[in-house]
Amino acid sequence: MTENTQHQSAPTTELPTQYAPADVEGPLYERWVERGYFEADAASDKPPFTVVIPPPNVTGSLHLGHAFEHTLIDALTRRKRMQGHETLWQPGMDHAGIATQNVVERELAKEGKSRQDLGREAFVERVWKWKGESGGQISGQMRRLGDGVAWSRERFTMDEGLSRAVQTIFKRLYDDELIYRAERIINWCPRCLTAISDIEVEYQDDDGELVSMTYGEGEETIVVATTRAETMLGDTAVAVHPDDERYRHLVGREIRLPLTDRSIPVVADTHVDPEFGTGAVKVTPAHDPNDFEIGRRHGLPSLTVMDERAVITAPGPFQGLDRLEARSAIVAALRAEGRIVAEKRPYVHSVGHCSRCKTTIEPRLSLQWWVKVGPLAKAAGDAVRDGRVAIHPQEMEKRYFDWVDNLHDWCISRQLWWGHRIPVWYGPDGEVVCVGPDEELPSGEGWHQETDVLDTWFSSGLWPFSTLGWPERTESLAKFYPNSVLVTGYDILFFWVARMMMFGLYAMDGTPPFRTIALHGMVRDQLGKKMSKSFGNAVNPLDWMDTYGSDALRFTLARGANPGVDVPIGEDWVQGSRNFANKIWNATRFALMNGATVEGELPPAEQLSAADRWILSRLNKTVAEVDAHYEDFQFAKLSEALFHFAWDEVFDWYVELSKTTFFAGGEQARVSGRVLGEVLDVMLRLLHPVVPFVTETLWTTLTGRESLVIAEWPADSGFRDEDAEREIALVQQVVTEVRRFRSDQGLQPGQKVPARIALDGTALAPHEAAIRQLLRLQPEGEGFQATASLPVAGATVALDLSGTIDVEAERKRLTKDLGAAEKEVAQANAKLGNEAFLAKAPDQVVEKIRTRLAKAEAEIARITGQLANLPKA
C-alpha cells in the first residue's frame, strides 16, 4: 500500500496530556499484525528487501543482545518498507540441540527419570511437547519490542520443510565427497556426553599444575612436563626435535613408561620446540590433537584411557577414577617412585570449557562425521574478495579471512537424541548408504540408522534459503534470495556467518546468501563491562520496557550502535530516551493545539518567515543526513541527528520562535502552522523506524491517515536556504549568549528583566519580539538603567539588573572565587616550573597538573568577565 491509497480522515488534536506507553504499545502492535503490514508477497513487482532473524534458541528469552539486534533490523526493514520495497523480515527459532536436550533432561530428573528410561522415540516426543508448551516465549517478547516480522512465515529448524532441506544438502555433500566419517580428535564434553565444535569451546585461564617427571631409566632418562598427568597412561611415545643433539642417541630406542608395564619409543618430529621446557614431549595420540598428528606421522598406536564421562578405563590401580582424582593419584604414585622433578602450582593456563555447561573439555579420539571445508571455505572467502559480498565495517574483513582461510574440517555429528538424525544407514555386512529425502530406506535384516544427530549450526547454516522453501524452487526463493543484508554480532561471524556463506554458495549455484554483512558489537553495562548474571549486571529488557516503554529502550540501543563496536548501556540512558519520547509527545500536542496541520499545499517560499525557511532547510538537510547514515549502517549517528533536530531545532528553537506568531494569529500564524505540520510529518516519519509506537500515535493524529508503517519515506526536496540559516544562527547566538550571562548572574530562567535591544541595521531586526519572548526580557519602561551591556552578533542587549540581584554580595562571591582560581594557577605554575619536580613526577601526574592549570585559567577569564558586567555600585 502506498501513501496515496491510505485511508484519510480529518485529523484530531485530541491527545492525552501524558504519553502512557503501556496503554499504546500492545494494542497498536496487534493492529499492525492484523492488518498484515509486515507480511511479504512473493508475487509483488516491488523490489525485494530481505533480512533473516538470527534464529534465537527455542529455550531462550529476550535479552539485551536480542533487543539490540532486533532494534537495528526492525529499523532497516521499516524504512525499506516505507521506501516501497517488498520487505521480508523472516522470523523463526533454532532447535538448539544440546541446550534443549539439557532443559528437558533436567525436567525428567525432577521426576527421577533419565532419557534412557524413556528411550529415544519417547524422549524426542517429550521434547516436542516441551517445545509446544514452554518453548518460544521469545516470540511474545519480540512483539513487545515491536519487531515487524512476517509472522505467517515463521519457521523452526526442526519443522518438516527445514528437515527436508537438511537431508537434501547432507545427501548432496555426501555424494560430492564433502562429507565423510573418520576417527579424529574432537572436543568432548563429559557432561553433555557429545562432541562439540571448536567454536563452541570457550577458553579461560584456570589454575592448574605443571608437573615435570622422568621417563626411562639410567642413561635413557628423559624429563617431560604435563598439565594432564592422567593422560600418561595413554602415552605411546616421547617426541624430540630431530636436530636436538641432547636426545639424538635416544631416537629410535624404547624407554620405560612409568606406572605401566609398557615401553614406548622415542621419535623425532619437527613439531617439537627444542627451546620449550626440556625439549621433549610425551605423546598421547588418543587424547591430544597435536599428539594425534604426531602419531599419524609415525604410525603410533592410539590408546584411549578414559570413557565418555572422563573416567579412567586403563587397567590398573587408577581404573574407575575420575580424571581429576586420577591426576592427583598418578602424581602421588610418581612422587613415591622418585620421578617428580618439579611441580608448579598454581600454574595458570588456558583451558577449554563447554560453552553450554562450562565443563572442562576433554580432547578425545572418536569416530565422527565431518564436512570437508576446504573448497567450501575457499568459495566463502572468494565471495568477499571479489565484491559479491561486502562486510561492514570493512576492517572486520581481516577477521573473516583469518577464519575461513584457516578453517579445519568441521565435526558435524553430535551424540544427542534431539536434532536432525544423520540420514545414513548401516548394513549387516558393513554397507553404508546415505538416504535422500525422496529415496527409499534400505530394507532387510540388520540395517540400522546412524544414532548421531547433526550439529545445530548445520541446519541454521541453511537459514537464508531453507526458510524460503529450498530445495524446491519456490516463488519466495526466487523473489527473496539472496538476502539484502545480514545484521548480526561479530561474535558469531565464525559460528554462523561463515557456515551460511559456505552452504549458500554451494546450494544456490554460487549465489551468496546475502549481499552485505553488517556486524555490530556486544551490549555492555555503562562501565563497559560484559553483562552477565554472575557479574550481577545482567538486565532483563522487559523490565526497562515496562518502566520506560519500548521506544525508550529501542532509541537508547540504536543511539549507541556504531558499526562493529560494543554498546554500553545504563538505566539512566533509557530514562533519558523516555524523556525524549515525552518531549516528542508534548511538543506535538502543543503544536496540534496551536494550528499545526498537513492540510493544503505548503506555502511558497516568499510567504514564509525566516524561521519557516530555516526549519525547512534544516529539515531537508536532516533527511539527507539520515539517509546517508542508514546506507552506511550508522545507527548511532542517524539517531543522534534525529535527536538533535527534533529536540534542539524543532522544539527548542522553531516552536519557541513561532510562539509569538501563533499567539498573534492571522495569516502568518496559518502559514507557520502549515510549516510546523510539514516538519512534524516528516520528522515523525524519520523517527518511526527507531521509535515506532509514539510516532505512529502522533502521526496518525496529525495526519488522519492509516499508519506510518505503510507511509512513504520522506525524500529530500532539495530546498535549502542558507541565508535563513545564517539569520536564525544570529538569533540563536544572541539568545545563547544572553542566557549564559543571565545564568552567570544567578537569574532564574523565568525571571523577567527590563532590557533595551539595539538591532537596527542587522538581520536580527525582525526577530526582536521572539528574542524578548525567549529571553524573558521586558520593555525598558521608566527609570531604566543599563547596568550591563552585552554586544553580540552585531547587536547590543542592555539589561537593567538593579532590581534583580544583590550587586555587592555577588561581587564578593565572585572576588572570592577569583582568588581561589588565581591561587590554583600560582600553585600549578610553581610545580610546572620546577625542573626537579618534572624530572621525577610520572607523566600522568604532570598532565593532571596541566589540566588543572588550564581549567583555572579559564575560570579566571570567566569570573573577570562577570565582574566587568556587574552593575556599577
mmCIF file of all heavy atoms in Angstrom, residues 790-812:
data_model
loop_
_atom_site.group_PDB
_atom_site.id
_atom_site.type_symbol
_atom_site.label_atom_id
_atom_site.label_comp_id
_atom_site.label_asym_id
_atom_site.label_seq_id
_atom_site.Cartn_x
_atom_site.Cartn_y
_atom_site.Cartn_z
ATOM 1 N N LEU A 790 25.631 43.990 26.672
ATOM 2 C CA LEU A 790 26.229 42.823 26.009
ATOM 3 C C LEU A 790 26.230 43.027 24.496
ATOM 4 O O LEU A 790 25.186 42.960 23.849
ATOM 5 C CB LEU A 790 25.439 41.556 26.343
ATOM 6 C CG LEU A 790 25.304 41.193 27.820
ATOM 7 C CD1 LEU A 790 24.395 39.990 27.980
ATOM 8 C CD2 LEU A 790 26.667 40.892 28.408
ATOM 9 N N PRO A 791 27.389 43.283 23.889
ATOM 10 C CA PRO A 791 27.460 43.320 22.424
ATOM 11 C C PRO A 791 27.573 41.896 21.881
ATOM 12 O O PRO A 791 28.457 41.134 22.272
ATOM 13 C CB PRO A 791 28.746 44.117 22.158
ATOM 14 C CG PRO A 791 29.588 43.881 23.377
ATOM 15 C CD PRO A 791 28.663 43.622 24.522
ATOM 16 N N VAL A 792 26.677 41.509 21.012
ATOM 17 C CA VAL A 792 26.706 40.153 20.462
ATOM 18 C C VAL A 792 26.059 40.141 19.090
ATOM 19 O O VAL A 792 25.013 40.752 18.871
ATOM 20 C CB VAL A 792 25.989 39.156 21.419
ATOM 21 C CG1 VAL A 792 24.572 39.573 21.706
ATOM 22 C CG2 VAL A 792 26.017 37.750 20.853
ATOM 23 N N ALA A 793 26.715 39.482 18.132
ATOM 24 C CA ALA A 793 26.197 39.282 16.775
ATOM 25 C C ALA A 793 25.819 40.596 16.102
ATOM 26 O O ALA A 793 24.829 40.680 15.370
ATOM 27 C CB ALA A 793 24.987 38.340 16.794
ATOM 28 N N GLY A 794 26.580 41.656 16.353
ATOM 29 C CA GLY A 794 26.313 42.933 15.717
ATOM 30 C C GLY A 794 25.215 43.733 16.378
ATOM 31 O O GLY A 794 24.870 44.824 15.923
ATOM 32 N N ALA A 795 24.643 43.215 17.453
ATOM 33 C CA ALA A 795 23.587 43.914 18.175
ATOM 34 C C ALA A 795 24.073 44.194 19.596
ATOM 35 O O ALA A 795 25.129 43.719 20.007
ATOM 36 C CB ALA A 795 22.319 43.075 18.207
ATOM 37 N N THR A 796 23.290 44.973 20.328
ATOM 38 C CA THR A 796 23.614 45.254 21.720
ATOM 39 C C THR A 796 22.373 45.024 22.564
ATOM 40 O O THR A 796 21.295 45.529 22.248
ATOM 41 C CB THR A 796 24.088 46.702 21.904
ATOM 42 O OG1 THR A 796 25.249 46.920 21.080
ATOM 43 C CG2 THR A 796 24.453 46.960 23.362
ATOM 44 N N VAL A 797 22.549 44.254 23.619
ATOM 45 C CA VAL A 797 21.467 43.998 24.565
ATOM 46 C C VAL A 797 21.879 44.616 25.903
ATOM 47 O O VAL A 797 22.861 44.179 26.515
ATOM 48 C CB VAL A 797 21.202 42.488 24.726
ATOM 49 C CG1 VAL A 797 20.079 42.265 25.746
ATOM 50 C CG2 VAL A 797 20.862 41.849 23.387
ATOM 51 N N ALA A 798 21.140 45.667 26.286
ATOM 52 C CA ALA A 798 21.421 46.343 27.555
ATOM 53 C C ALA A 798 20.389 45.884 28.578
ATOM 54 O O ALA A 798 19.182 45.902 28.310
ATOM 55 C CB ALA A 798 21.364 47.853 27.378
ATOM 56 N N LEU A 799 20.859 45.487 29.772
ATOM 57 C CA LEU A 799 19.983 44.949 30.810
ATOM 58 C C LEU A 799 20.017 45.839 32.044
ATOM 59 O O LEU A 799 21.050 46.403 32.392
ATOM 60 C CB LEU A 799 20.428 43.533 31.199
ATOM 61 C CG LEU A 799 20.523 42.495 30.079
ATOM 62 C CD1 LEU A 799 21.101 41.197 30.623
ATOM 63 C CD2 LEU A 799 19.154 42.234 29.468
ATOM 64 N N ASP A 800 18.866 45.936 32.696
ATOM 65 C CA ASP A 800 18.775 46.644 33.965
ATOM 66 C C ASP A 800 18.643 45.594 35.065
ATOM 67 O O ASP A 800 17.582 45.016 35.273
ATOM 68 C CB ASP A 800 17.552 47.577 33.963
ATOM 69 C CG ASP A 800 17.449 48.381 35.254
ATOM 70 O OD1 ASP A 800 18.264 48.138 36.162
ATOM 71 O OD2 ASP A 800 16.545 49.235 35.340
ATOM 72 N N LEU A 801 19.763 45.340 35.769
ATOM 73 C CA LEU A 801 19.774 44.319 36.810
ATOM 74 C C LEU A 801 19.685 44.922 38.206
ATOM 75 O O LEU A 801 19.848 44.206 39.205
ATOM 76 C CB LEU A 801 21.055 43.478 36.702
ATOM 77 C CG LEU A 801 21.316 42.789 35.358
ATOM 78 C CD1 LEU A 801 22.637 42.020 35.411
ATOM 79 C CD2 LEU A 801 20.177 41.848 35.009
ATOM 80 N N SER A 802 19.420 46.233 38.254
ATOM 81 C CA SER A 802 19.486 46.916 39.546
ATOM 82 C C SER A 802 18.478 46.354 40.537
ATOM 83 O O SER A 802 18.724 46.348 41.746
ATOM 84 C CB SER A 802 19.253 48.427 39.359
ATOM 85 O OG SER A 802 18.002 48.654 38.722
ATOM 86 N N GLY A 803 17.365 45.887 40.073
ATOM 87 C CA GLY A 803 16.349 45.379 40.997
ATOM 88 C C GLY A 803 16.287 43.874 41.065
ATOM 89 O O GLY A 803 15.349 43.326 41.660
ATOM 90 N N THR A 804 17.252 43.194 40.467
ATOM 91 C CA THR A 804 17.150 41.734 40.380
ATOM 92 C C THR A 804 18.209 40.997 41.167
ATOM 93 O O THR A 804 18.001 39.849 41.551
ATOM 94 C CB THR A 804 17.229 41.287 38.909
ATOM 95 O OG1 THR A 804 18.468 41.757 38.357
ATOM 96 C CG2 THR A 804 16.068 41.838 38.108
ATOM 97 N N ILE A 805 19.384 41.616 41.418
ATOM 98 C CA ILE A 805 20.432 40.917 42.156
ATOM 99 C C ILE A 805 21.062 41.838 43.189
ATOM 100 O O ILE A 805 21.024 43.062 43.055
ATOM 101 C CB ILE A 805 21.543 40.376 41.217
ATOM 102 C CG1 ILE A 805 22.247 41.541 40.493
ATOM 103 C CG2 ILE A 805 21.004 39.375 40.232
ATOM 104 C CD1 ILE A 805 23.467 41.096 39.703
ATOM 105 N N ASP A 806 21.657 41.265 44.238
ATOM 106 C CA ASP A 806 22.418 41.996 45.247
ATOM 107 C C ASP A 806 23.830 42.133 44.687
ATOM 108 O O ASP A 806 24.638 41.204 44.765
ATOM 109 C CB ASP A 806 22.411 41.224 46.563
ATOM 110 C CG ASP A 806 23.111 41.982 47.687
ATOM 111 O OD1 ASP A 806 23.976 42.828 47.375
ATOM 112 O OD2 ASP A 806 22.811 41.697 48.856
ATOM 113 N N VAL A 807 24.115 43.308 44.105
ATOM 114 C CA VAL A 807 25.362 43.502 43.379
ATOM 115 C C VAL A 807 26.569 43.306 44.286
ATOM 116 O O VAL A 807 27.541 42.637 43.927
ATOM 117 C CB VAL A 807 25.402 44.906 42.729
ATOM 118 C CG1 VAL A 807 26.758 45.139 42.056
ATOM 119 C CG2 VAL A 807 24.277 45.041 41.719
ATOM 120 N N GLU A 808 26.533 43.884 45.501
ATOM 121 C CA GLU A 808 27.690 43.784 46.384
ATOM 122 C C GLU A 808 27.952 42.354 46.820
ATOM 123 O O GLU A 808 29.093 41.891 46.872
ATOM 124 C CB GLU A 808 27.495 44.695 47.600
ATOM 125 C CG GLU A 808 27.727 46.165 47.314
ATOM 126 C CD GLU A 808 29.057 46.407 46.612
ATOM 127 O OE1 GLU A 808 30.096 45.898 47.102
ATOM 128 O OE2 GLU A 808 29.067 47.088 45.571
ATOM 129 N N ALA A 809 26.875 41.629 47.144
ATOM 130 C CA ALA A 809 27.042 40.225 47.544
ATOM 131 C C ALA A 809 27.601 39.407 46.394
ATOM 132 O O ALA A 809 28.460 38.532 46.584
ATOM 133 C CB ALA A 809 25.701 39.654 48.006
ATOM 134 N N GLU A 810 27.109 39.676 45.191
ATOM 135 C CA GLU A 810 27.583 38.938 44.019
ATOM 136 C C GLU A 810 29.046 39.277 43.737
ATOM 137 O O GLU A 810 29.846 38.407 43.388
ATOM 138 C CB GLU A 810 26.715 39.285 42.795
ATOM 139 C CG GLU A 810 27.021 38.490 41.540
ATOM 140 C CD GLU A 810 26.729 37.008 41.679
ATOM 141 O OE1 GLU A 810 26.066 36.595 42.663
ATOM 142 O OE2 GLU A 810 27.168 36.235 40.789
ATOM 143 N N ARG A 811 29.429 40.580 43.948
ATOM 144 C CA ARG A 811 30.818 40.970 43.709
ATOM 145 C C ARG A 811 31.745 40.268 44.705
ATOM 146 O O ARG A 811 32.820 39.789 44.342
ATOM 147 C CB ARG A 811 30.961 42.493 43.832
ATOM 148 C CG ARG A 811 32.303 43.020 43.302
ATOM 149 C CD ARG A 811 32.420 44.520 43.531
ATOM 150 N NE ARG A 811 31.317 45.259 42.966
ATOM 151 C CZ ARG A 811 31.193 45.577 41.676
ATOM 152 N NH1 ARG A 811 32.127 45.198 40.816
ATOM 153 N NH2 ARG A 811 30.158 46.266 41.245
ATOM 154 N N LYS A 812 31.312 40.157 45.971
ATOM 155 C CA LYS A 812 32.125 39.470 46.969
ATOM 156 C C LYS A 812 32.296 37.994 46.616
ATOM 157 O O LYS A 812 33.384 37.428 46.748
ATOM 158 C CB LYS A 812 31.474 39.609 48.349
ATOM 159 C CG LYS A 812 31.619 40.991 48.972
ATOM 160 C CD LYS A 812 30.966 41.032 50.351
ATOM 161 C CE LYS A 812 31.118 42.420 50.971
ATOM 162 N NZ LYS A 812 30.454 42.478 52.306
#
